Amino acid sequence: MRFDFSPLCSLLLGASTLCAQESAPPAFSAQPGNVAAILGAPATLSVRIEGTPTPTLLWFKSGQPIPGTTSPTLTFPAVAFADAATYYVVATNPAGFAISASATLTVNKQPQTLTFTPANTVTSTQASLTLAASSSAELPVTLTILTGAAALTGNRLSGSGGPVIIRASQAGNATIAAAVPIERTFTFIAGATAPFITAGPTDQTITAGTALTLSASSLGLPAPTYQWQKDGVTLLPATTTTLTIPATSLTDAGRYTVTATNFLGASTASATLIVRAPPIFTLLPTNQTARLGAAVTFTTAASGFPVPSFQWRKNGTLLAGATNASLIITSAATADAARYEVVATNSLASVTSPVATLSLNTTNRDFSGTYFGSISTTTPATTSTGEFALLVRANRTAVFLAHLPALSAGITLLDLTVDATGNFARSISIGPRSASLRGAVDDLTGEVNGTLSEIGLAWRGARATTTGSPSPATGFYQAALIGTAANRGFILVGPNGRAFVLTANGSTTDSASGNLGTNGRLTLTTTTQASLDLGFSSGALTGTVRAGTLTGTLAGTNEALFGTEHLVNLSVRSTTATTSPLIVGFVVNGTSAKQLLLRAAGPALAAAPFNVAGTLNDPNLQLYRGSNLAGQNDNWGNPAPNITTLSAATTAAGAFPFQNNSNDAALLTSLTPGPYTVIIGGGNGITLAEIYEALEPNETGGTRRLVNLSARGVVTPGAPLIAGFVITGRGPQRVLIRGIGPSLGSAPFNVANALGNPQLTLFRGNAVVKNNDDWFRDPEATLIRSTSVAVGAFPLGDQSTDAAILIFLEPGAYTAQVSGPSSNANATNDTGLALVEVYEASP
């Protein structure tokens, strides 16, 4: 019950502090429950009480308070019979009190269980049984004969015939409860005898396919049961006096045993079955093709009993001594090309295998593998002067890498060919000298050797092999030092984990060799004491190069991924004027048409999340191939059917969406390889031109690609010409980026108002990757000039103030920004037409 004193408090105390406080009388949210506990075990009664302020508690036993019990939980560590009673708790606070429901604690005696052996049993009247019964409480157990003709003396039971039921019981005591009784039935049989097999199975020799019956008979009381076994293994089902096999085979041969069993014992009898069978081939020799000098093995196998013998024949003639299951030809010669057969014989029959033919391949020899070795001088002989690695593919194309530290030279041959006899040759230059690299691969021994006779060098090595699975890093890799223009690496990893690394920066070379660690990484020190730490994963490699205090990132791929790195998204942001539209050029490379998504964004830039001020309100886009119009668009949603196709292509390319019915322009088109021009006009304002790769079904990225972007636009203070591009793939891509002004204003272009001194800055995100002011001042100016020619770009003046960057970049998104000279920031010097170019520039 609960009493609420709040009204009384208000009458007596008025507006006193106590009455002014919020209060609530005690209330039970959980009542105590009845508990049944085992004597000596712990027990707990508990409640959950609410009220403000927190009520005080006191537990009662059989109506009497229990001093000190003020917790919501009343705990009995080990209950006694005296603890059995009715309990409740009283809760009190200034707002009232409450009494819980009553809960009964029942204390039960400790349980016990009985064990009674043996289990139900049949035995002879001539024998007695020893009974064993015990209590888990270790109290004495009483055995009682319930029915049957028997006598129980102590724990010995004897009977005169028939079943006897015995009960084991334990009545318990003051603290232990009575046990559940156990009853057992014991059957006594008069005149029982142990089994005796009177007639057992007999040894037999039969021919395969013949039916077999083994039988046995026995005496014993009670009647025995039977179980057959073969070679000690139980046969199922085989539990009668006979065992029948309808049609025997060689696998049925063995020792058969029958066992007769009753409760007095067991009797066994055995017999041996011999199954004779003529030879049958279970493995036939097969046709083989081998190269001259290779080892060849023909193999056969046959079943039968007696065990067959073998005799091989060549072209129908017996081969002396060739009586094994395998015929081995250690080194195949021309005369070994023949027809082979084998005869299997036992006392029942002889059988001859089909003919197997050995053909010799004298042309298609297999030289494939990865070879490692050393280079030494011929005078004096065997003085080591370098290392090499050779990869020969199955089609006999090859890669040869070598380093000659004493000559400060390296050899990188990526397009070598091994001829049908294993020979190869190539004219090379080592410093100022010319030499002929000659080599020969022995496909039988796995050795390779060769010479550079003009400079007195010879080289020798061996094919890398492994007895287990080849290293997952096996292969040929090309890598680059990220952030440089020419630092490259070439790596050969053999199936046994051995590796050779050759690095090159122009004419400067370095190398290292060693083995992959158990963690799959390659940790090496080069001849110039640079440290390499490379990891390999799914055809790609990444790692670090440390030389002194300098650290760089090395990245690359194996040849299966060569060329998959490429440009997938090119964009240009510029200010467009009525008299100077944004002109963007690009080149598609490949052997078939490539699908591209072209866009001109103006209103989309003005909207969230970009919120660019001064954008072009209504850009229009025209696509030209030479002077021929190849496509155009004004508003991207017109005609309406374009919306679904363009939206899907936008999502697939990862481009930001255009709003429905916006004045932005877009065009999805398939273009044959060649150069194209996009002109974006529509007035004055900032616009963004974008070119996205739009892969078609089953198209492999990189097979058809964007290899060049160029854009002409206006540069003003605070509004640079910006080009963006994305590199995709697993490995690095080298790109040539140019910011052109003076050369644009010179012949043969003679563009008026060209930017006088462009500055070029390359960003990845907000981080500056590299910048350039005057291209000829770059340390890689010579390489920039030759690369410009290689990619088809027009040459820059020797002392022009145009800007250029040549650099290896990891996959990712980049931005190139062309602006005016920061040291002369004024409208005259910072304003003008500029050309930004991005070229794929793979070495």
Side-chain angles (χ1 to χ4, degrees):
M1 64 184 66
R2 184 179 73 182
F3 295 91
D4 189 349
F5 289 107
S6 299
L8 182 60
C9 177
S10 300
L11 287 172
L12 296 178
L13 302 179
S16 69
T17 301
L18 178 62
C19 290
Q21 295 176 349
E22 292 185 4
S23 62
F28 288 97
S29 57
Q31 298 284 356
N34 295 334
V35 175
I38 302 297
L39 180 66
T44 300
L45 297 172
S46 64
V47 297
R48 188 164 59 247
I49 188 71
E50 299 175 355
T52 304
T54 301
T56 58
L57 305 177
L58 184 63
W59 286 86
F60 286 76
K61 174 185 178 183
S62 300
Q64 298 299 315
I66 307 173
T69 54
T70 59
S71 170
T73 300
L74 180 62
T75 301
F76 302 85
V79 297
F81 286 131
D83 294 321
T86 299
Y87 294 84
Y88 61 86
V89 63
V90 175
T92 307
N93 72 2
F97 72 91
I99 302 174
S100 74
S102 296
T104 301
L105 173 61
T106 304
V107 180
N108 299 317
K109 292 182 179 182
Q110 296 177 357
Q112 63 170 325
T113 57
L114 298 182
T115 302
F116 187 10
T117 59
N120 300 334
T121 301
V122 177
T123 188
S124 171
T125 56
Q126 305 301 313
S128 62
L129 296 174
T130 300
L131 308 181
S134 61
S135 161
S136 62
E138 300 183 355
L139 297 176
V141 178
T142 300
L143 298 176
T144 305
I145 299 175
L146 296 183
T147 63
L152 185 60
T153 305
N155 63 342
R156 298 290 298 176
L157 177 67
S158 58
S160 57
V164 177
I165 299 177
I166 305 297
R167 172 180 290 171
S169 59
Q170 213 301 312
N173 58 21
T175 59
I176 305 298
V180 177
I182 298 177
E183 294 180 359
R184 297 276 189 260
T185 299
F186 306 102
T187 302
F188 291 88
I189 298 177
T193 59
F196 174 74
I197 293 180
T198 57
T202 58
D203 294 344
Q204 297 190 45
T205 299
I206 62 176
T207 301
T210 304
L212 169 72
T213 297
L214 299 176
S215 61
S217 60
S218 67
L219 298 175
L221 186 67
T225 60
Y226 296 89
Q227 178 61 62
W228 291 85
Q229 292 183 315
K230 176 179 178 289
D231 296 329
V233 178
T234 299
L235 300 174
L236 297 174
T239 57
T240 65
T241 57
T242 59
L243 175 66
T244 300
I245 303 174
T248 54
S249 65
L250 285 175
T251 59
D252 294 319
R255 186 74 171 168
Y256 288 83
T257 300
V258 62
T259 301
T261 305
N262 70 12
F263 72 87
L264 289 178
S267 178
T268 63
S270 300
T272 298
L273 173 64
I274 298 174
V275 180
R276 291 158 46 91
I280 297 175
F281 283 107
T282 57
L283 177 65
L284 292 171
T286 58
N287 295 335
Q288 295 195 49
T289 299
R291 63 185 185 276
L292 283 172
V296 177
T297 300
F298 289 103
T299 302
T300 190
S303 63
F305 189 84
V307 176
S309 62
F310 297 106
Q311 176 61 62
W312 289 88
R313 296 174 180 169
K314 175 183 177 182
N315 292 333
T317 302
L318 294 179
L319 288 172
T323 57
N324 295 321
S326 294
L327 175 63
I328 300 175
I329 303 171
T330 55
S331 181
T334 302
D336 293 317
R339 293 158 55 86
Y340 294 85
E341 60 191 1
V342 62
V343 179
T345 303
N346 69 7
S347 58
L348 297 181
S350 292
V351 291
T352 302
S353 73
V355 168
T357 301
L358 172 59
S359 302
L360 293 181
N361 187 339
T362 59
T363 56
N364 296 328
R365 299 164 61 185
D366 183 9
F367 304 102
S368 62
T370 307
Y371 301 77
F372 298 94
S374 60
I375 304 173
S376 58
T377 59
T378 55
T379 306
T382 69
T383 299
S384 177
T385 187
E387 291 184 278
F388 77 91
L390 170 69
L391 168 67
V392 182
R393 305 180 183 92
N395 62 0
R396 299 204 309 275
T397 60
V399 172
F400 184 88
L401 307 175
H403 186 216
L404 303 167
L407 301 178
S408 299
I411 303 173
T412 306
L413 300 176
L414 307 183
D415 57 350
L416 201 62
T417 299
V418 176
D419 67 21
T421 63
N423 296 311
F424 57 91
R426 178 67 64 84
S427 296
I428 62 173
S429 296
I430 298 182
R433 291 176 290 184
S434 297
S436 294
L437 175 76
R438 298 183 180 278
V441 182
D442 189 325
D443 54 330
L444 298 180
T445 65
E447 295 181 349
V448 60
N449 60 77
T451 61
L452 284 163
S453 57
E454 293 86 350
I455 53 178
L457 296 178
W459 45 277
R460 181 177 297 275
R463 180 166 46 209
T465 60
T466 180
T467 56
S469 300
S471 168
T474 300
F476 171 50
Y477 297 78
Q478 292 190 46
L481 187 63
I482 302 302
T484 69
N487 286 19
R488 303 181 66 196
F490 306 91
I491 302 96
L492 272 174
V493 180
N496 59 352
R498 181 165 177 78
F500 178 75
V501 180
L502 179 68
T503 62
N505 180 16
S507 61
T508 302
T509 58
D510 199 1
S511 70
S513 63
N515 296 291
L516 270 69
T518 55
N519 60 355
R521 298 191 69 83
L522 183 61
T523 304
L524 301 173
T525 301
T526 70
T527 57
T528 62
Q529 300 305 302
S531 298
L532 298 175
D533 183 9
L534 305 178
F536 301 82
S537 176
S538 302
L541 74 83
T542 56
T544 57
V545 182
R546 293 183 177 85
T549 59
L550 301 178
T551 300
T553 297
L554 194 67
T557 63
N558 67 16
E559 57 186 334
L561 297 177
F562 289 173
T564 56
E565 68 283 351
H566 61 289
L567 302 174
V568 293
N569 173 13
L570 303 172
S571 61
V572 178
R573 174 181 152 173
S574 179
T575 300
T576 298
T578 302
T579 57
S580 299
L582 175 59
I583 302 175
V584 180
F586 63 92
V587 175
V588 176
N589 195 9
T591 58
S592 59
K594 180 168 186 62
Q595 184 173 255
L596 298 174
L597 173 64
L598 312 178
R599 306 203 312 172
L605 295 182
F610 307 108
N611 301 315
V612 175
T615 60
L616 190 61
N617 291 329
D618 188 8
N620 57 70
L621 181 155
Q622 293 179 313
L623 173 66
Y624 287 88
R625 176 78 184 265
S627 59
N628 297 319
L629 182 65
Q632 61 182 338
N633 179 258
D634 187 357
N635 298 325
W636 77 280
N638 185 20
N642 288 351
I643 295 177
T644 300
T645 302
L646 288 171
S647 295
T650 298
T651 300
F656 63 88
F658 286 165
Q659 294 182 358
N660 290 340
N661 301 318
S662 76
N663 290 334
D664 303 288
L667 181 66
L668 181 65
T669 182
S670 186
L671 302 178
T672 56
Y676 292 85
T677 302
V678 173
I679 299 178
I680 298 175
N684 301 323
I686 296 173
T687 186
L688 178 68
E690 297 176 303
I691 306 172
Y692 289 93
E693 176 182 68
L695 291 177
E696 298 181 77
N698 302 318
E699 179 183 354
T700 300
T703 55
R704 295 170 280 175
R705 51 210 293 155
L706 288 165
V707 296
N708 160 238
L709 169 76
S710 60
R712 193 189 84 173
V714 177
V715 174
T716 61
L721 178 61
I722 301 174
F725 59 93
V726 174
I727 298 171
T728 189
R730 298 292 305 280
Q733 170 72 57
R734 190 168 74 161
V735 294
L736 172 65
I737 309 165
R738 307 201 305 178
I740 299 173
S743 293
L744 195 64
S746 304
F749 307 109
N750 301 313
V751 174
N753 302 318
L755 188 64
N757 185 11
Q759 317 290 303
L760 177 62
T761 305
L762 177 64
F763 294 89
R764 185 171 189 180
N766 294 322
V768 174
V769 177
K770 190 174 181 179
N771 50 45
N772 177 261
D773 185 359
D774 301 328
W775 77 275
F776 64 88
R777 303 182 194 278
D778 191 284
E780 300 289 353
T782 300
L783 188 57
I784 290 174
R785 178 187 288 110
S786 62
T787 302
S788 296
V789 173
V791 299
F794 63 84
L796 302 178
D798 289 344
Q799 300 292 315
S800 78
T801 55
D802 302 292
I805 294 172
L806 180 64
I807 190 170
F808 279 107
L809 297 174
E810 294 179 282
Y814 297 87
T815 302
Q817 178 176 294
V818 180
S819 59
S822 57
S823 59
N824 297 306
N826 58 65
T828 300
N829 292 323
D830 285 2
T831 300
L833 288 173
L835 182 69
V836 63
E837 298 176 311
V838 179
Y839 292 91
E840 183 181 282
S842 298

